[in-house]
Amino acid sequence: MVHRLLPGRLLRPWLRLNANRARQTPLAAYLRALEPLLGMAVARAPMMALDLEMTGLDPRRDQLLSIGLVPIEAGELLLAGARQVLVRIDASVGHSATLHGIVDRELAQAMTQSQAMDWLLTRTRGRLLVAHNAPLDLSFIRRRMQLDHGLGITLPAVDTLRLERRRLLRQAQDLTQGSLRLGACRSRYGLPGYAGHHALGDALACGELLLAQLSAMGDGLTVAELLRLSS
């Protein structure tokens, strides 16, 4: 992820550089709108919880099937603004349907892969992305940006999995198999269990987890600092 590679002071020029490289595209507008958030207090920063469902885990071979988004404003999830879209693929969903429940006939009138990425960038413009195991979702976005705009970059995002991993290691707790899955992380904060592998449901679950994590961390963090902590 880009913020793992760059010190905080370099993230701002990185955004400007890549916005210029992206020219007049939804990606350029997205990057320009992100820069003002970096110095903002997390408590008032607009964010967007994100989850993607795919046919598999390899962005070079597999394809995006659905996108779930839930806005976060001033520490609250805005359910009225939650959205989910389906995305058309150029093959059958195959055996992956047993996980996400999306079947071929549902995708006949769905957005194309490129349309879905432009929709995502437009819908999340001016908001900090939040995802659980963010590198996986971001790798699919990066691949699509490379194909559509010739600029494959990993967007800055808060990773609730990495935040939880940092917390557990700081408390000298063992990281057992499955302990960082979304449901397991939520259970440690007393949050209810949800059925997984549904983009909108997982985005909501991730957003709730982030708010619980931030409450435990206390006030005073800026967006740039939160990005660093989740890197």
Side-chain angles (χ1 to χ4, degrees):
M1 298 172 69
V2 64
H3 52 282
R4 296 187 67 195
L5 305 176
L6 295 173
R9 67 183 183 279
L10 296 182
L11 185 51
R12 197 179 300 272
W14 181 91
L15 289 171
R16 293 174 184 170
L17 172 65
N18 284 290
N20 290 335
R21 293 172 64 198
R23 302 181 184 276
Q24 300 303 314
T25 65
L27 176 59
Y30 175 89
L31 294 172
R32 291 190 179 101
L34 187 58
E35 183 184 345
L37 302 185
L38 296 179
M40 190 178 294
V42 170
R44 62 184 185 87
M47 296 183 278
M48 185 73 81
L50 160 76
D51 185 74
L52 308 181
E53 292 298 320
M54 297 82 73
T55 59
L57 303 179
D58 186 348
R60 296 166 299 178
R61 182 184 62 217
D62 297 310
Q63 298 181 71
L64 177 65
L65 285 170
S66 64
I67 304 172
L69 299 175
V70 180
I72 302 172
E73 291 274 2
E76 293 187 5
L77 294 161
L78 302 184
L79 298 185
R83 296 290 184 274
Q84 176 172 293
V85 296
L86 296 177
V87 188
R88 192 160 71 243
I89 61 175
D90 58 11
S92 171
V93 299
H95 295 301
S96 68
T98 61
L99 290 176
H100 48 66
I102 299 170
V103 295
D104 292 334
R105 65 176 178 273
E106 296 180 271
L107 303 179
Q109 304 300 318
M111 293 182 180
T112 66
Q113 299 283 313
S114 295
Q115 288 171 339
M117 282 297 100
D118 286 350
W119 176 85
L120 171 64
L121 291 172
T122 300
R123 192 83 192 179
T124 59
R125 186 183 304 163
R127 293 182 177 274
L128 178 65
L129 293 178
V130 181
H132 195 75
N133 193 18
L136 176 60
D137 290 343
L138 296 177
S139 69
F140 277 80
I141 297 173
R142 177 189 178 112
R143 175 66 173 168
R144 196 70 244 170
M145 294 301 98
Q146 180 67 54
L147 293 173
D148 291 347
H149 305 301
L151 185 59
I153 61 173
T154 303
L155 301 179
V158 175
D159 186 352
T160 51
L161 184 153
R162 291 185 182 274
L163 285 176
E164 190 66 7
R165 182 178 186 274
R166 177 184 289 268
R167 185 181 76 88
L168 294 178
L169 290 176
R170 189 174 61 248
Q171 296 176 352
Q173 296 191 38
D174 292 333
L175 297 178
T176 59
Q177 184 175 6
S179 63
L180 292 176
R181 290 177 180 168
L182 181 56
C185 292
R186 288 173 54 85
S187 68
R188 285 190 287 271
Y189 294 88
L191 296 171
Y194 291 158
H197 297 293
H198 181 275
L200 187 56
D202 284 349
L204 175 60
C206 174
E208 290 178 343
L209 173 60
L210 176 70
L211 295 183
Q213 290 173 323
L214 293 177
S215 177
M217 293 165 69
D219 299 329
L221 282 175
T222 66
V223 165
E225 290 168 339
L226 183 61
L227 286 170
R228 179 183 58 79
L229 288 174
S230 71
S231 67

